[in-house]
Amino acid sequence: MSESLLGQSVRRKEDYRFLTGSGTYTDDVTVPGQLYAFFLRSPHAHARIRAIDTAAAKAAPGVVAVYVGTDLQGKVNGLPCGWLITGIDGQPMKEPVHPPLAQGKVRHVGDQVAMIVAESLNQAKDASELIEVDYEVLPACVDPAQARAPGAPLVHDDVPDNTCYVWGLGDKAATDAAFAQAAHVTTLEYINNRLIPNAIEPRAAVAQYHRGDDSYTLHVTSQNPHVERLLMTAFVLGLPEHKVRVIAPDVGGGFGSKIFLYAEETVLTWAAGQIKRPIKWTAERSESFLADAHGRDHVTKAELALDKHGKFLALRVHTTAGLGAYLSTFASSVPTILYATLLAGQYTTPNIYCEVTSVFTHTAPVDAYRGAGRPEATYVVERIVETAAREMKIDPAEIRRRNFITQFPYQTPVALCYDIGNYEGTLSEAMRVADVPGFEVRRKEAEARGKLRGLGYSAYIEACGLAPSNIAGALGARAGLYEAGEVRVHPTGKVTVFTGSHSHGQGHETTFAQVVAQRLGMSVEDIDVVHGDTGRIAFGMGTYGSRSIAVGGAAIVRALDKVVAKGKKIAAHLLEAAEGDIEFENGEFTVAGTDKKVPFAQVALTAYVPHNYPLDKLEPGLNEMAFYDPTNFTFPAGCHICEVEIDRATGETRIVNFTAVDDFGKIINPMIVEGQVHGGLTQGIGQALLEACVYDKESGQLITGSMMDYALPRADDVPNFKVSTQETPCTHNPLGVKGCGEAGAIGAPAAVINAITAALWPLGVRDIPMPATPQTVWRALQTAPKARSGRA
Amino acid sequence: MTTPLALKVNGNAVSVQVEPRTLLVQLLRETLRLTGTHVGCDTGQCGACTVHLDGRAVKSCTMLAVQAAGCEITTIEGVAAPSGDLHPMQAAFKEHHGLQCGFCTPGMVMNAIDLARSKADLSEAEVRGGLDGNLCRCTGYQNIVKAVLAGAAAMRS
Ligand code: FES
Ligand code: FES
């Protein structure tokens, strides 16, 4: 058999168009007669709208229409939330209306107040300045920790205490009882810093109405166009689903922020139908800061109970999660289902209880951002484990080893059942690559140069490919969690694959082609992968939660199974053999034990030119589709080790070594996987060292509203990563794959902060908040209990 | 109110009427439909809009179109050979997986070519420093740096 294509770093099929400027991103789409939209946004965090005067704007040159909230009343519904959380009081979460254009009140800086449509963008912008909004400014609350304080301003009048729900997971009584037995308890308080995703392509949309058949086409920067269409037509606009085609063409990064149904494209689509002309909207970066869904924003207290040998007895976690002003599409599930379920980490902690209070604040909505709940959980677990080790004077690697799960399948006390893993394997390999034994020598050498050096671990686990649908449904999901794949074999034997997952950088056009090419014995050049178009693809749930290969790839394998099965029937007929004797390998159907064979391409041709064909028993054609609903999550896991040097004079932290050893199960394209890890690590390091979304507590203004104020990692902020993989194949999907897109962002923050706190521990510093900017670290150095003696 | 403007873009003479407030990137993307040059920010921070002006990398969002009067502009569309063969820098990005979503890529490639021309034997640190004005949210830069070093070497050979 020829060398397997699976596991090969095939260079990407999509690169040529991106490298030559011939990709098609949404803003590149221009339609004849196209108008431009501009959104007037709230300058206030919280205000009552007394009146809006749009007369002058409507009369301005080039203006075609101006819409405000009242124009949409009774025509455009609120934006829906896709996950219903039920609180510990048995009550459903509060779901206040999320109007696409503000109705009566604005609730965060950047809230949409009006949409101006004009012949040119400049005309729309000019006209927006003519709109008079009479605001009665009200006090605002931007801090989740303050949202339930007595007298805190309410975001929604019908949501008391700003509380969406109080939700719990785990056995509270057993956990409390275990704490009573503890030899040692470690307590930590955390702020998981609020982040702004900042895909480099801003959100954009082009909406067209087609008079001829009363239909719509929407090009939009989306990670899941079918879900976008379903939510928009069924819940918000009441349009017939089959009359709306949603195309997510080339999309310039998502990281979660392009999963959601947003107000802008919804109003744009509605208005295109009203005006009966195409309309384009492209966000400016300042709008991305103000109105893309943000991530994280947790305030947490955690306690870990240990016996005297450092065995974990129980973990108790209380988290307050900020949701922003409105419930974004999957906001409710992120700090609950995707967070508390991961609190076992890689450990056998027998008792875990987590309580989450999710609150509204006068800020942009918060939803899934790369990792979505799992980075927050990993941060809680890996920081407290490392801190407990230091407090108990146990080596941080050793305390992990004493608590690792080693028997699989493993049922955690927080609902998940891990199918497989090898945590000792990834830890010890990471320690070898990071040269942990040599650290002490490096630390002394750094000390001689006046630098503090620290090494920190993060042994993370994540749950990917959220599934199965029926269990998720029981937990409140309002959507299915399967994926669709279709394999269309053309008469000449070339293949087009249609996938419901979406690539916005992940390289599906190559990875999925490798899967198909391997199975059908073809070259990747003979296979095209189509994604991101409801007009061409039957259905799909899109790409989020590192699900594409584990769920989308598996759906394609199931469709391939059907192609091969039908091909065998055709081959049996052609070769005059029994179907059970036909084998398929390397692109040829053979009769077992003979030299009789027929190539795949000839079977394909026969299927479409069925002259010599069992028409009485078999339909012509070779086009198969499958829906795949996984039986469980996948559980990628691994170990990150970060080594930092801190400049005592400036507080600046440099990452001098970063090692990641990940277990993603089987790997199709190692080059692409490595790239995903690099990108994830960089976002994780960004969270740990650089990125902070800051709202002014008084005014509610977004202080970090541009790339000059919000520090995204640049090329010289990150090191060369040492990345490698180990493999325990997933037990329940046909490719044995687990997913790799989020791992870096999940593991890295704890590794970085554990390294910094390791360096500062001798000075008496126990914790450092994220982002550990030079100023933050410098302050900690100045106030450290042992600032002087620690210098020795 | 518009004003006449003449310049060269990817070797072709262009003469157009523009509003004085038109940015160079708007001229390229909207008037000339050269959509390979991207816009990622409104503060000159991301570098997605980088093109060559008389051979040097500039951010086309931070200058007015009329400031390019009489100049020679090269965009990403003008980098590959007329046959379609990739420029050595483009080829290096593909070989070393220096792109994921591709949105920052045109700006990265334009800046990288200028960087490679500006100095022989670039070090890794010089490449990282030289890419300071170009943001990428996908790759973590490691493979971009690898690609730029390899592309620069290929351009010299
Ligand atoms: S678009 Fe020019 S620097 Fe960002
Ligand atoms: S490849 Fe996506 S921003 Fe660089």
Side-chain angles (χ1 to χ4, degrees):
Chain A
M1 163 143 190
S2 56
E3 199 189 351
S4 175
L5 270 170
L6 306 186
Q8 299 293 319
S9 289
V10 175
R11 298 304 184 264
R12 297 202 320 170
K13 288 162 65 78
E14 44 272 82
D15 284 357
Y16 187 86
R17 71 175 187 274
F18 295 144
L19 282 163
T20 53
S22 31
T24 304
Y25 299 87
T26 299
D27 188 59
D28 302 342
V29 174
T30 289
V31 186
Q34 160 184 298
L35 300 166
Y36 294 82
F38 182 77
F39 285 87
L40 179 70
R41 295 177 183 278
S42 169
H44 305 296
H46 189 199
R48 189 164 288 114
I49 299 173
R50 288 203 200 97
I52 307 181
D53 183 353
T54 58
K58 282 179 173 156
V63 171
V64 175
V66 177
Y67 300 105
V68 298
T70 46
D71 297 319
L72 272 51
Q73 254 160 5
K75 299 171 187 141
V76 178
N77 294 329
L79 303 175
C81 180
W83 203 298
L84 175 71
I85 295 294
T86 302
I88 47 180
D89 59 1
Q91 295 301 306
M93 67 184 188
K94 300 282 192 305
E95 289 187 77
V97 178
H98 182 180
L101 292 178
Q103 310 250 5
K105 257 189 172 187
V106 287
R107 294 187 173 84
H108 67 93
V109 173
D111 208 352
Q112 299 80 223
V113 174
M115 182 174 84
I116 304 97
V117 183
E119 298 288 343
S120 80
L121 181 58
N122 282 338
Q123 287 171 329
K125 279 188 180 183
D126 290 347
S128 76
E129 294 178 8
L130 302 174
I131 296 179
E132 297 269 4
V133 188
D134 181 6
Y135 290 109
E136 177 192 345
V137 179
L138 301 168
C141 176
V142 296
D143 180 357
Q146 296 301 319
R148 282 158 59 93
L154 289 186
V155 182
H156 300 276
D157 296 337
D158 52 349
V159 181
D161 296 328
N162 287 320
T163 303
C164 183
Y165 54 79
V166 179
W167 175 90
L169 182 66
D171 188 334
K172 185 170 192 296
T175 302
D176 290 344
F179 268 86
Q181 308 299 318
H184 182 86
V185 173
T186 294
T187 304
L188 267 185
E189 296 191 8
Y190 315 70
I191 291 180
N192 204 289
N193 42 329
R194 185 174 173 129
L195 303 174
I196 306 180
N198 274 301
I200 303 299
E201 179 202 28
R203 285 193 292 121
V206 183
Q208 302 174 63
Y209 172 75
H210 310 289
R211 199 183 291 263
D213 60 355
D214 192 27
S215 71
Y216 296 78
T217 302
L218 173 67
H219 285 81
V220 64
T221 48
S222 174
Q223 299 178 213
N224 42 2
H226 288 86
V227 176
E228 168 112 14
R229 177 175 71 164
L230 175 59
L231 295 176
M232 185 185 286
T233 57
F235 294 93
V236 189
L237 296 182
L239 295 171
E241 192 176 1
H242 67 295
K243 289 287 191 187
V244 179
R245 177 179 181 186
V246 176
I247 301 172
D250 290 325
V251 173
F255 318 113
S257 70
K258 293 172 181 169
I259 296 173
F260 322 118
L261 178 66
Y262 282 97
E264 291 90 349
E265 64 255 27
T266 307
V267 185
L268 206 73
T269 304
W270 175 78
Q274 301 293 306
I275 301 169
K276 309 216 180 317
R277 283 179 64 183
I279 315 173
K280 175 188 279 192
W281 167 75
T282 302
E284 297 183 357
R285 179 57 53 183
S286 43
E287 293 183 278
S288 314
F289 277 97
L290 291 172
D292 285 6
H294 295 178
R296 318 286 191 252
D297 206 19
H298 285 200
V299 180
T300 293
K301 180 178 176 192
E303 302 151 279
L304 179 66
L306 304 96
D307 74 8
K308 64 175 192 288
H309 306 295
K311 279 286 271 184
F312 308 154
L313 302 175
L315 178 67
R316 193 160 54 198
V317 179
H318 284 86
T319 292
T320 302
L323 297 170
Y326 303 103
L327 272 175
S328 174
T329 313
F330 290 107
S332 52
S333 64
V334 175
T336 48
I337 307 294
L338 296 175
Y339 168 67
T341 52
L342 272 300
L343 288 170
Q346 300 187 351
Y347 312 111
T348 55
T349 317
N351 302 289
I352 301 175
Y353 179 70
C354 177
E355 199 169 290
V356 179
T357 304
S358 288
V359 295
F360 293 104
T361 58
H362 291 103
T363 61
V366 177
D367 206 323
Y369 165 64
R370 201 170 195 167
R374 291 152 292 165
E376 297 91 315
T378 298
Y379 194 66
V380 167
V381 173
E382 289 304 294
R383 282 286 298 125
I384 207 163
V385 163
E386 189 118 342
T387 305
R390 288 187 202 132
E391 286 175 355
M392 296 181 74
K393 302 197 166 36
I394 302 172
D395 178 76
E398 173 57 25
I399 204 170
R400 288 178 167 88
R401 287 185 161 127
R402 287 183 197 171
N403 289 282
F404 274 156
I405 296 161
T406 54
Q407 302 288 321
F408 295 92
Y410 177 80
Q411 177 63 52
T412 74
V414 276
L416 298 180
C417 183
Y418 302 167
D419 64 333
I420 196 165
N422 178 5
Y423 309 139
E424 171 57 34
T426 44
L427 173 71
S428 52
E429 176 61 7
M431 290 174 76
R432 187 190 69 75
V433 176
D435 185 22
V436 172
F439 172 73
E440 194 46 34
V441 174
R442 297 194 294 277
R443 192 192 64 75
K444 289 222 172 79
E445 182 275 330
E447 197 171 50
R449 287 183 282 114
K451 306 264 167 135
L452 297 164
R453 195 161 172 129
L455 180 143
Y457 298 81
S458 175
Y460 75 91
I461 188 160
E462 56 168 327
C464 298
L466 189 53
S469 291
N470 51 355
I471 291 184
L475 292 171
R478 288 166 167 165
L481 295 161
Y482 48 79
E483 195 48 271
E486 182 175 354
V487 175
R488 180 169 304 164
V489 183
H490 301 286
T492 55
K494 309 288 186 202
V495 170
T496 305
V497 177
F498 300 86
T499 174
S501 52
H502 185 271
S503 176
H504 28 283
Q506 294 89 340
H508 294 5
E509 291 168 42
T510 306
T511 303
F512 288 2
Q514 283 176 255
V515 170
V516 176
Q518 174 65 25
R519 182 68 182 275
L520 298 182
M522 300 169 62
S523 101
V524 292
E525 281 72 42
D526 291 334
I527 297 152
D528 265 1
V529 176
V530 176
H531 58 96
D533 184 349
T534 64
R536 299 183 71 189
I537 299 140
F539 201 72
M541 298 306 297
T543 286
Y544 56 86
S546 306
R547 71 194 298 273
S548 291
I549 191 69
V551 191
I556 292 169
V557 171
R558 287 287 161 81
L560 285 167
D561 291 345
K562 296 184 188 178
V563 166
V564 171
K566 186 167 182 183
K568 281 184 178 174
K569 288 190 170 56
I570 300 168
H573 178 86
L574 292 176
L575 298 170
E576 295 173 338
E579 188 189 328
D581 292 338
I582 303 291
E583 290 173 348
F584 180 68
E585 213 178 328
N586 293 333
E588 288 176 335
F589 293 93
T590 53
V591 181
T594 74
D595 59 358
K596 294 212 293 185
K597 61 186 179 186
V598 54
F600 180 76
Q602 193 181 329
V603 167
L605 187 63
T606 306
Y608 287 94
V609 187
H611 296 165
N612 177 15
Y613 196 89
L615 282 167
D616 53 334
K617 296 196 291 269
L618 203 59
E619 290 173 15
L622 198 51
N623 186 69
E624 297 291 344
M625 113 150 261
F627 283 78
Y628 176 78
D629 202 288
T631 55
N632 192 358
F633 286 86
T634 65
F635 297 98
C639 182
H640 295 176
I641 299 179
C642 177
E643 201 168 322
V644 298
E645 261 188 29
I646 297 167
D647 188 316
R648 277 172 173 263
T650 64
E652 194 199 7
T653 301
R654 291 296 300 178
I655 294 176
V656 287
N657 270 315
F658 201 109
T659 304
V661 177
D662 299 295
D663 177 357
F664 299 135
K666 290 273 185 203
I667 284 174
I668 314 290
N669 186 318
M671 174 191 82
I672 288 176
V673 168
E674 204 172 290
Q676 288 295 308
V677 176
H678 291 168
L681 291 174
T682 300
Q683 287 181 1
I685 289 169
Q687 168 163 33
L689 294 182
L690 298 163
E691 297 180 40
C693 166
V694 181
Y695 282 95
D696 182 72
K697 285 203 163 53
E698 288 301 312
S699 67
Q701 292 296 326
L702 179 63
I703 309 280
T704 52
S706 83
M707 285 172 169
M708 296 196 286
D709 309 293
Y710 184 95
L712 293 165
R714 293 180 184 273
D716 54 3
D717 290 318
V718 284
N720 270 319
F721 304 106
K722 293 179 196 146
V723 171
S724 59
T725 53
Q726 302 225 316
E727 184 178 301
T728 60
C730 173
T731 59
H732 57 79
N733 67 47
L735 289 166
V737 292
K738 298 183 183 176
C740 66
E742 295 165 295
I746 290 169
V752 174
I753 300 299
N754 281 340
I756 294 174
T757 48
L760 302 181
W761 193 267
L763 309 185
V765 177
R766 297 193 38 177
D767 196 11
I768 281 280
M770 296 193 290
T773 61
Q775 192 181 34
T776 300
V777 175
W778 184 83
R779 281 223 179 94
L781 282 166
Q782 302 315 302
T783 54
K786 298 180 220 163
R788 283 176 204 286
S789 59
R791 194 175 283 265
Chain B
M1 191 194 80
T2 59
T3 174
L5 169 66
L7 71 170
K8 248 183 166 184
V9 178
N10 296 333
N12 303 316
V14 169
S15 64
V16 286
Q17 289 282 331
V18 295
E19 267 192 78
R21 64 175 162 179
T22 307
L23 300 171
L24 177 58
V25 69
Q26 292 172 322
L27 172 78
L28 295 171
R29 285 185 58 80
E30 278 145 42
T31 311
L32 304 180
R33 300 293 305 141
L34 292 168
T35 55
T37 302
H38 296 152
V39 176
C41 72
D42 38 30
T43 51
Q45 293 287 303
C46 76
C49 62
T50 306
V51 300
H52 289 176
L53 180 124
D54 294 335
R56 296 305 309 271
V58 297
K59 292 181 173 176
S60 62
C61 74
T62 58
M63 61 183 287
L64 297 168
V66 291
Q67 290 175 292
C71 295
E72 187 138 357
I73 303 289
T74 306
T75 70
I76 190 70
E77 287 91 344
V79 171
S83 64
D85 287 350
L86 294 178
H87 180 280
M89 189 60 78
Q90 292 170 312
F93 268 71
K94 175 166 180 166
E95 177 60 23
H96 296 281
H97 191 31
L99 64 154
Q100 290 181 23
C101 78
F103 199 78
C104 72
T105 308
M108 286 284 180
V109 169
M110 298 313 285
N111 191 14
I113 291 172
D114 186 21
L115 203 58
R117 283 186 193 143
S118 66
K119 186 171 181 293
D121 287 320
L122 287 163
S123 68
E124 187 199 312
E126 284 169 328
V127 171
R128 286 190 183 267
L131 295 178
D132 211 42
N134 291 71
L135 285 169
C136 174
R137 194 60 157 158
C138 297
T139 63
Y141 301 103
Q142 184 158 332
N143 289 341
I144 292 181
V145 172
K146 244 198 257 176
V148 175
L149 289 168
M155 280 168 64
R156 281 199 305 279
S157 63

